[in-house]
Amino acid sequence: MKNANELPKYDGSKLINLTFQYLETKLIYTALELNIFNCLETGKSIDELAKSLHLDEKNLEYFLKSLVSMDYIKYENGIFENTDETNYFLNEKSNMYLGENLLYWKDLTNIDNIHDLLKNGADRDNANKDNGSDFFDFRSMGRGARNSMYLGRVQGFVKLMKSLFDENKSIKVLDLGCGSGVLSVEIAKNFPNAKCTLIDQAQVINFTKDVIAENKVEDRVEVEVGDFNTYTPTEKYDLIITSGVLDFVKDMDNMSDKIYNSLDDDGCLYVSTHQMNDDFTKPKNFILGWLSGNLNGLDILKPESLVMESLNKYSLVEVEIENHPRTIFKKGNINE
């Protein structure tokens, strides 16, 4: 029985707040799609903005004031304007624009047809052809993820590399499934004697070339079109980068063997997985991020334990580094 003299056994605010979290997300998506944040780089009145975007003035005012309540825009003396943080992350002119990434994941994670999928299932055989390449727009994924990687991940990667290699060392780098190529580009920028080879699919690699050219490292970063599943290196490398790819590999033992044989004796393997547990119940963000794909029949992601087991099987041994578990591996004897 409910009791007015004591609080409930559990805190129900998490459930109640879901409604408002959904609304906030929907409003941000809509503002991005309507170019609201691009237009509010400088202050505008409601009538000025409504005319420029061909929107209903009264409803636009309600919409903008909702964004004000969420602290994404400011309102003073009848003028609406982005906050500094919004200009930094949600204005397309910013080099830290995250809107493309948000809208990409909005589409990728769409589960509007979840009732039908739960009732009828999915065509899993067709969904898993070519390792899910028909389901993903890898070019858009790379474009969207590029700026989000600079929210700390790239900085942490560069710091880690500087702890492993002398900055003047002549490093040979292989980047398997490079995506935007940001990690290798930053290696080239921070290690002036580094030479990098980047491998990814044809639909991705042109964007990778743009990133390389933008950072003016074309002389030390080259790209090759290829599938990381089937690509066989022909040289030895000081560093092999596998960022978000090993848990998609079809034959992990074959990949581990190729990596071992392609690493220099003192070389390093950089690993970043989706950290899926064996039951596919954690971590939450990746479980939710992959839900749409799973419901639509994709079943290509491996648990992290299978990746680690294979690396160890082929004598690729983890180097224990504080705050970087299961990240750096070297050749070794697993029985030592």
Side-chain angles (χ1 to χ4, degrees):
M1 180 176 291
K2 295 181 284 294
N3 187 338
N5 294 300
E6 61 182 52
L7 291 172
K9 183 178 180 180
Y10 303 106
D11 182 4
S13 60
K14 176 181 176 181
L15 296 172
I16 299 300
N17 288 334
L18 287 176
T19 297
F20 301 101
Q21 292 169 14
Y22 172 81
L23 283 171
E24 287 194 25
T25 304
K26 179 68 174 176
L27 290 172
I28 295 301
Y29 287 156
T30 302
L32 288 168
E33 291 164 340
L34 293 176
N35 293 316
I36 298 289
F37 298 126
N38 294 337
C39 292
L40 291 181
E41 180 180 2
T42 57
K44 288 183 174 60
S45 64
I46 189 65
D47 61 322
E48 183 182 4
L49 187 61
K51 287 177 183 176
S52 66
L53 294 176
H54 307 289
L55 300 174
D56 178 78
E57 186 173 315
K58 190 61 181 177
N59 279 347
L60 178 59
E61 183 176 3
Y62 286 129
F63 180 81
L64 293 180
K65 288 184 175 178
S66 296
L67 294 176
V68 172
S69 75
M70 295 157 56
D71 297 321
Y72 284 95
I73 62 176
K74 302 176 287 186
Y75 179 61
E76 188 174 352
N77 298 323
I79 299 297
F80 294 93
E81 185 177 3
N82 289 340
T83 65
D84 290 343
E85 185 175 355
T86 295
N87 262 333
Y88 188 66
F89 287 127
L90 300 178
N91 182 345
E92 280 185 293
K93 293 180 182 178
S94 170
N95 64 6
M96 278 300 295
Y97 178 63
L98 299 180
E100 188 171 10
N101 189 48
L102 294 174
L103 292 177
Y104 173 79
W105 282 99
K106 166 186 174 286
D107 293 335
L108 186 66
T109 58
N110 185 294
I111 53 171
D112 287 347
N113 61 338
I114 188 169
H115 289 269
D116 178 65
L117 289 168
L118 289 174
K119 287 179 181 178
N120 302 312
D123 184 353
R124 299 192 176 278
D125 290 336
N126 283 325
N128 289 284
K129 286 181 179 178
D130 299 320
N131 221 33
S133 60
D134 290 339
F135 187 81
F136 296 108
D137 178 353
F138 290 105
R139 177 182 172 86
S140 294
M141 180 183 288
R143 285 178 58 90
R146 177 192 177 186
N147 288 345
S148 67
M149 291 179 69
Y150 283 92
L151 296 175
R153 182 179 170 194
V154 168
Q155 292 85 345
F157 172 80
V158 170
K159 183 177 180 180
L160 177 59
M161 293 302 107
K162 287 182 176 180
S163 74
L164 297 171
F165 299 103
D166 184 281
E167 291 182 39
N168 294 312
K169 178 179 172 63
S170 297
I171 309 171
K172 285 184 64 176
V173 180
L174 176 65
D175 193 340
L176 294 172
C178 62
S180 66
V182 161
L183 296 182
S184 287
V185 164
E186 290 298 335
I187 286 284
K189 289 167 65 176
N190 286 274
F191 294 84
N193 295 312
K195 295 279 189 180
C196 306
T197 300
L198 282 59
I199 311 297
D200 215 323
Q201 301 181 55
Q203 61 173 291
V204 179
I205 216 70
N206 284 334
F207 173 63
T208 311
K209 291 178 181 178
D210 292 341
V211 175
I212 293 167
E214 180 183 314
N215 286 275
K216 298 178 172 55
V217 290
E218 302 99 316
D219 59 326
R220 292 183 294 113
V221 181
E222 63 178 16
V223 299
E224 293 183 28
V225 175
D227 180 348
F228 62 79
N229 277 291
T230 57
Y231 180 80
T232 300
T234 57
E235 301 180 44
K236 297 280 188 180
Y237 294 91
D238 300 291
L239 173 65
I240 297 179
I241 299 173
T242 58
S243 179
V245 298
L246 291 186
D247 32 13
F248 292 109
V249 169
K250 295 175 184 177
D251 186 342
M252 188 58 214
D253 281 354
N254 180 54
M255 176 62 75
S256 297
D257 186 36
K258 287 193 292 187
I259 289 173
Y260 182 90
N261 290 318
S262 303
L263 266 183
D264 189 74
D265 287 343
D266 196 36
C268 294
L269 168 66
Y270 172 82
V271 175
S272 175
T273 74
H274 294 81
Q275 302 175 358
M276 292 288 188
N277 66 7
D278 289 350
D279 294 326
F280 289 91
T281 56
K282 297 289 181 182
K284 182 180 77 171
N285 284 353
F286 287 129
I287 296 299
L288 297 182
W290 280 94
L291 179 59
S292 176
N294 293 150
L295 291 174
N296 280 282
L298 276 181
D299 188 23
I300 58 175
L301 200 59
K302 294 178 172 61
E304 187 180 60
S305 63
L306 289 184
V307 174
M308 299 299 128
E309 180 183 326
S310 179
L311 293 176
N312 289 334
K313 179 179 177 181
Y314 285 83
S315 296
L316 291 161
V317 181
E318 179 186 355
V319 179
E320 294 187 8
I321 300 175
E322 188 176 3
N323 300 321
H324 294 282
R326 302 177 304 283
T327 300
I328 298 297
F329 292 77
K330 285 193 170 188
K331 288 184 174 182
N333 185 338
I334 61 174
N335 296 315
E336 290 181 350

